[in-house]
Structure formats: structure tokens, C-alpha cells
Amino acid sequence: AQRVTQPEKLLSVFKGAPVELKCNYSYSGSPELFWYVQYSRQRLQLLLRHISRESIKGFTADLNKGETSFHLKKPFAQEEDSAMYYCALFTDKLIFGTGTRLQVFP
Amino acid sequence: DTAVSQTPKYLVTQMGNDKSIKCEQNLGHDTMYWYKQDSKKFLKIMFSYNNKELIINETVPNRFSPKSPDKAHLNLHINSLELGDSAVYFCASSQAGSLKTQYFGPGTRLLVL
């Protein structure tokens, strides 16, 4: 079955602390993975995609096919990073995980 | 310039009513989507249209009927609204293809009383 799992509903850290939002997927094909972010009362927007191997707003995510994971990381969290983060897998459609709310305290 | 717009932003209505949500994109995309985000923030695709043709229908009740008059519009009509339909509905658009970014609208918050 095609599935995306984000085990943490809520992740709270202090400003400057490292952040890792976990994402695991289940898919028999070659995965195409994305991270989307939704800031408070704003629309969902793409943060990054695995194919680009880019760093956006200090966030990176590496696809680990052996562990079927695509964890999102940032070495030093900022207050403005507080948002809802969704990991998504594209098959013939985007399948979203249940989301992780990141709270960064000052 | 708003890329993907939805109207209305908020919709409060009684059970049993029929309502529509409109979506428009000015990005020139040929694929449009409707997603439902429930109270637990779980986001799930409902429909996908490519060039006005339905390509994905995710076991959504027949009470939900999408309509695409042209490539730039994908409206969602809901008949006989139920309490469980209360959610935030997001429209999105993209170019065809898996690696194309989906651009989301601001959402329509529907509350059924």
C-alpha cells in the first residue's frame, strides 16, 4: 500500500536548536517525495523536493531508500519556522502524511 | 497577482443545503485538484482534472460533483451537506507531470451546522 507516515503530531523546540521532522513512506516504485509547509492561516506551499537536492530556508531532506525515509532537517530552528509540515509522496497523485506541527519557542 | 484563488473563504450553512466553492488559477496550468483537510489537519486528495477531464476520483460520495468549465476553473458542488463535510477545502493546480509543483489556493473553510 502507498502510504506516508509522519509519526510526530507535534514537535516543540527552542530557537537555535536542531530540528528533524520524520517521514517514512511505503511505495514499491521509485519514490518522488516532497515537503510542503503551511504557515498559520496561509496556504500550503512547496518547501522542497527530493529530486532537487536543494536547501530551502535552511531546511534539507535526504531520501534514504534503504530506510524508506525522507526526514526534514534544519540545524538551527527559527521562530518563523513554526508551521505545519507535510511530507508527500507522488504516485499518480500526491499522498500526504498526517503532518507535523513544529513549534519553535523563543 | 493571486495565482490560485477560491471563493468563498468561509462558508457556514445548514445540513441538507447545496453549496458550491469556486476555484480559479491564472498560472496557465492544465491540471487542477481539490483536497479536503479535516479537523485533525489530515489532507487528502478528492479530485483531479487535466484539461477539463476527470482523472482522479478518490471514492468521494456522489454528493460531491466537480465541474471544470475550462482549464482555468474547477468548481466543487456539494449536495445535501452533512455535518461530516465540515472541513477546509483546498484547490490546487500544476502543470502535468509528477515533478511539477502544486500551487494551492487559500482554502475554503466550510462549517455545516
Side-chain angles (χ1 to χ4, degrees):
Chain A
Q2 301 153 1
R3 187 184 303 159
V4 177
T5 304
Q6 292 179 251
E8 302 137 331
K9 275 191 177 176
L10 174 65
L11 186 60
S12 299
V13 300
F14 286 102
K15 177 181 168 182
V19 166
E20 183 180 51
L21 289 86
K22 290 185 167 46
C23 171
N24 287 89
Y25 66 90
S26 172
Y27 182 52
S28 56
S30 187
E32 294 170 7
L33 289 152
F34 304 80
W35 277 99
Y36 277 80
V37 61
Q38 187 178 26
Y39 299 102
S40 180
R41 297 285 177 174
Q42 291 189 29
R43 65 187 71 199
L44 201 66
Q45 56 188 289
L46 179 69
L47 182 62
L48 53 79
R49 70 189 83 189
H50 92 271
I51 198 79
S52 303
R53 301 184 66 81
E54 58 202 343
S55 173
I56 304 292
K57 299 185 179 183
F59 284 97
T60 58
D62 290 318
L63 175 60
N64 184 324
K65 290 187 178 180
E67 295 181 359
T68 59
S69 68
F70 187 56
H71 303 327
L72 183 68
K73 298 176 185 178
K74 184 168 183 176
F76 307 104
Q78 303 298 316
E79 287 178 68
E80 55 265 30
D81 296 329
S82 296
M84 195 76 180
Y85 290 80
Y86 290 94
C87 183
L89 166 71
F90 190 91
T91 56
D92 60 338
K93 56 185 177 285
L94 262 186
I95 300 169
F96 285 92
T98 47
T100 298
R101 178 170 299 284
L102 175 63
Q103 287 182 330
V104 182
F105 294 109
Chain B
D1 289 342
T2 304
V4 183
S5 59
Q6 294 178 230
T7 53
K9 258 189 158 180
Y10 301 96
L11 190 50
V12 181
T13 188
Q14 300 282 345
M15 256 179 22
N17 283 351
D18 304 338
K19 290 292 178 188
S20 292
I21 307 172
K22 294 187 176 182
C23 177
E24 177 181 4
Q25 54 95 4
N26 62 6
L27 297 167
H29 290 161
D30 45 22
T31 305
M32 296 185 73
Y33 314 83
W34 277 108
Y35 289 87
K36 180 180 180 181
Q37 186 181 47
D38 63 22
S39 57
K40 295 182 180 177
K41 300 291 187 183
F42 184 52
L43 193 63
K44 193 169 188 293
I45 190 166
M46 300 172 70
F47 300 103
S48 172
Y49 267 73
N50 181 270
N51 281 318
K52 303 195 299 173
E53 284 190 31
L54 179 67
I55 55 174
I56 291 175
N57 182 342
E58 283 292 302
T59 58
V60 178
N62 290 340
R63 299 182 295 104
F64 290 80
S65 52
K67 284 185 173 51
S68 182
D70 54 59
K71 273 176 38 170
H73 297 84
L74 181 62
N75 304 324
L76 184 65
H77 189 76
I78 316 171
N79 289 326
S80 304
L81 278 156
E82 299 177 358
L83 294 178
D85 297 332
S86 296
V88 181
Y89 291 85
F90 287 99
C91 177
S93 74
S94 73
Q95 290 289 12
S98 60
L99 298 180
K100 303 301 182 184
T101 301
Q102 290 191 20
Y103 293 83
F104 283 78
T108 295
R109 194 173 292 271
L110 171 66
L111 178 60
V112 183
L113 303 174

